[in-house]
Amino acid sequence: MRHIAIVGSGPAGYYTAEAALKQWGDSVRVDIFDTLPVPFGLIRTGVAPDHQSIKGVSRRYETTALTDNVRFVGNVTIGQDVSIAELQDLYDAVILATGAPNDRKLGLPGEDLPNVFGSASFVGWYNGHPHFAGLDPALSHDTAVVIGNGNVALDVARILAKSQDEFAGSDIVAHALTALDASQVRRIVILGRRGPHQIAMTPKELGELAHLTRACPRVDPADLPAEAEDAALDPGQRKAVGHLRAFASAAPCPERDVAVEFDFFASPKAITGTERVEEVEVERTRLEDGPNGMRAVGTGEIYRIPAGLVIICIGYQTSKIPDVPFDEKGGRFANEEGRIRPGLYCVGWARRGPSGTIGTNRPDGFAIIEKIAEDIGEGTGESSGKTGRPGFDALAQERGVHVVKFTDWQKIDEAEIANAREGAPREKFVAVEQMIEASGSKD
């Protein structure tokens, strides 16, 4: 029997568990740990609430979770309730699949002013993550600045721009829906250091902006390169830039009261204000050839954007765990192709940093299981001396750690669905205590 511990119940965690089942069949037991009492990681709290089709992938993870060989172990914080060393004593392999839940910092003056948020916290607020549900952003100023040129920046801008009716069918949490309905934000400026050809936005997400009922996307035609240069782009990038060209050539839409402005060649230099953010100081840039492609360099031209809300969407980094080597520059665990040290591995964003799609984690999970099979054997029946699941259960009981299992999560799931407002798939619990109460696991 092989005993595998996976820390993190998001896509990387469940794809890795699926791979372990294919590798060892009935000769493996997999425990998937999570700090929260609910599974699925960024599928639940990172994917935009109006992208319900993407969230449907959780049904695949549920199939894995309901096998006898896989167990969800929720409400357990690794590094606090139990150490990595203790897990390694209990399991043949420990795999860190913790994702990258923390915001990268810009490192600019004023970044810590009130009403300046990283995208992880802001997205967590409207997605009902217990760590961010109490964020309470002020939406009373007419201008919001979104820093970044990726899909997360687009998600944030779209959520800020939508009318309440446009959230029908989404699982946005009630506190965010109420706040957004009363929002005074009417201008959303998306800042990007480089130009349209360097965006990390996909065509689908860009195209959604054209269909919002009250928002008008705007691009300065002068920011666009000659159309002939689009031929050098890959098809997806070319299609995305095509959306930007359509925004630039579209007729004015005065009947829509929200403007979503793309401000390219714009590098934030400082965020200023007294009691909270009041302005973003920006330097105009130009592109130069660099060792890794076109890079933005400052021109010395400075301008300021009055703003009452700033959301920084420049990427994420993994949470550190005591006694696990960390790559500060990469924002991930220090590893060699997923191996951290004997018996300890990482996968997904915790291994490679926040890159790729949800589906990218599947081959990553299968690759790490192949490496583990090389390291610990193919499951030929020999005993490793590890106690695995029973050993952890004894330790948890000794320490009074309250474990939430997948059957408990199913009760939480049923309660959230039952509590849904009209037209919504669910109303999420936003506090751990509410989740545990709904699970009935302390009865």
Side-chain angles (χ1 to χ4, degrees):
M1 184 64 64
R2 294 292 177 263
H3 301 287
I4 307 294
I6 298 174
V7 182
S9 69
Y14 272 105
Y15 283 129
T16 303
E18 178 186 332
L21 292 178
K22 289 188 182 298
Q23 179 73 36
W24 290 295
D26 287 336
S27 297
V28 71
R29 293 290 181 272
V30 181
D31 282 353
I32 303 179
F33 294 85
D34 203 290
T35 298
L36 294 180
V38 293
F40 307 142
L42 67 80
I43 299 299
R44 178 179 170 92
T45 57
V47 172
D50 55 350
H51 284 174
Q52 287 297 302
S53 61
I54 297 175
K55 291 175 182 275
V57 72
S58 63
R59 289 189 288 272
R60 177 178 185 143
Y61 308 149
E62 186 172 85
T63 300
T64 300
L66 291 173
T67 63
D68 292 338
N69 299 43
V70 175
R71 181 176 70 159
F72 174 66
V73 187
N75 198 43
V76 176
T77 300
I78 304 303
Q80 179 177 310
D81 296 321
V82 59
S83 70
I84 287 291
E86 288 169 327
L87 279 188
Q88 287 198 256
D89 285 342
L90 296 169
Y91 294 86
D92 295 293
V94 177
I95 308 166
L96 305 180
T98 52
N102 302 318
D103 287 301
R104 282 188 179 275
K105 290 284 191 179
L106 271 172
L108 294 182
E111 191 171 359
D112 296 323
L113 279 169
N115 235 38
V116 177
F117 305 106
S119 54
S121 55
F122 193 75
V123 170
W125 168 72
Y126 61 64
N127 265 329
H129 193 297
H131 295 169
F132 306 114
L135 203 66
D136 195 24
L139 306 175
S140 53
H141 195 282
D142 67 349
T143 300
V145 170
V146 180
I147 300 172
N149 262 189
N151 279 344
V152 176
L154 281 180
D155 285 344
V156 168
R158 188 181 67 256
I159 295 299
L160 285 170
K162 278 195 165 187
S163 66
Q164 185 161 23
D165 289 345
E166 289 177 291
F167 285 109
S170 80
D171 65 351
I172 189 168
V173 291
H175 66 245
L177 188 62
T178 300
L180 289 164
D181 189 45
S183 171
Q184 299 302 305
V185 175
R186 294 297 179 267
R187 181 188 180 212
I188 303 160
V189 182
I190 302 175
L191 291 183
R193 291 183 302 109
R194 297 186 295 171
H197 276 191
Q198 288 77 42
I199 59 171
M201 299 169 172
T202 50
K204 179 182 180 295
E205 279 67 24
L206 268 172
E208 286 181 83
L209 291 184
H211 302 290
L212 299 180
T213 59
R214 66 172 193 165
C216 184
R218 297 174 180 171
V219 172
D220 185 345
D223 284 342
L224 292 162
E227 193 164 354
E229 295 180 26
D230 293 357
L233 302 174
D234 67 61
Q237 191 93 353
R238 191 158 57 245
K239 189 174 181 181
V241 173
H243 285 303
L244 296 176
R245 293 192 184 280
F247 298 158
S249 61
C253 36
E255 73 282 1
R256 301 184 187 180
D257 66 346
V258 176
V260 180
E261 303 175 13
F262 289 83
D263 192 1
F264 294 108
F265 308 107
S267 178
K269 307 306 291 182
I271 301 169
T272 60
T274 50
E275 294 184 0
R276 72 178 195 188
V277 56
E278 296 172 6
E279 282 187 338
V280 179
E281 181 182 298
V282 184
E283 182 178 16
R284 187 61 67 198
T285 65
R286 67 175 185 274
L287 293 181
E288 289 185 355
D289 285 326
N292 299 310
M294 301 301 288
R295 64 188 185 98
V297 296
T299 64
E301 179 189 344
I302 301 293
Y303 60 100
R304 291 170 175 79
I305 304 173
L309 171 68
V310 175
I311 301 110
I312 301 166
C313 310
I314 60 165
Y316 304 107
Q317 59 183 8
T318 297
S319 297
K320 296 179 181 179
I321 297 177
D323 193 36
V324 179
F326 195 78
D327 174 3
E328 296 286 353
K329 185 177 179 181
R332 60 189 179 182
F333 296 117
N335 71 94
E336 291 291 336
E337 296 185 342
R339 291 182 172 99
I340 299 175
R341 61 175 179 243
L344 183 62
Y345 306 82
C346 56
V347 70
W349 284 7
R351 178 187 74 82
R352 66 182 189 272
S355 63
T357 65
I358 290 167
T360 308
N361 293 294
R362 186 175 186 273
D364 211 24
F366 277 74
I368 201 65
I369 288 298
E370 286 181 6
K371 289 180 173 63
I372 293 169
E374 292 172 7
D375 294 346
I376 69 173
E378 294 294 335
T380 55
E382 69 273 18
S383 173
S384 66
K386 306 282 187 178
T387 57
R389 187 173 296 178
F392 171 78
D393 289 347
L395 183 63
Q397 184 173 9
E398 176 187 325
R399 294 183 179 172
V401 176
H402 176 69
V403 172
V404 174
K405 299 177 182 177
F406 200 82
T407 50
D408 301 326
W409 148 246
Q410 289 178 309
K411 294 175 185 175
I412 298 170
D413 186 36
E414 289 172 4
E416 290 185 339
I417 293 169
N419 292 340
R421 63 185 177 277
E422 186 177 356
R426 68 177 64 244
E427 183 59 52
K428 295 176 190 170
F429 294 111
V430 299
V432 168
E433 295 78 12
Q434 294 174 325
M435 296 171 183
I436 293 175
E437 183 179 356
S439 75
S441 59
K442 277 201 169 180
D443 292 348

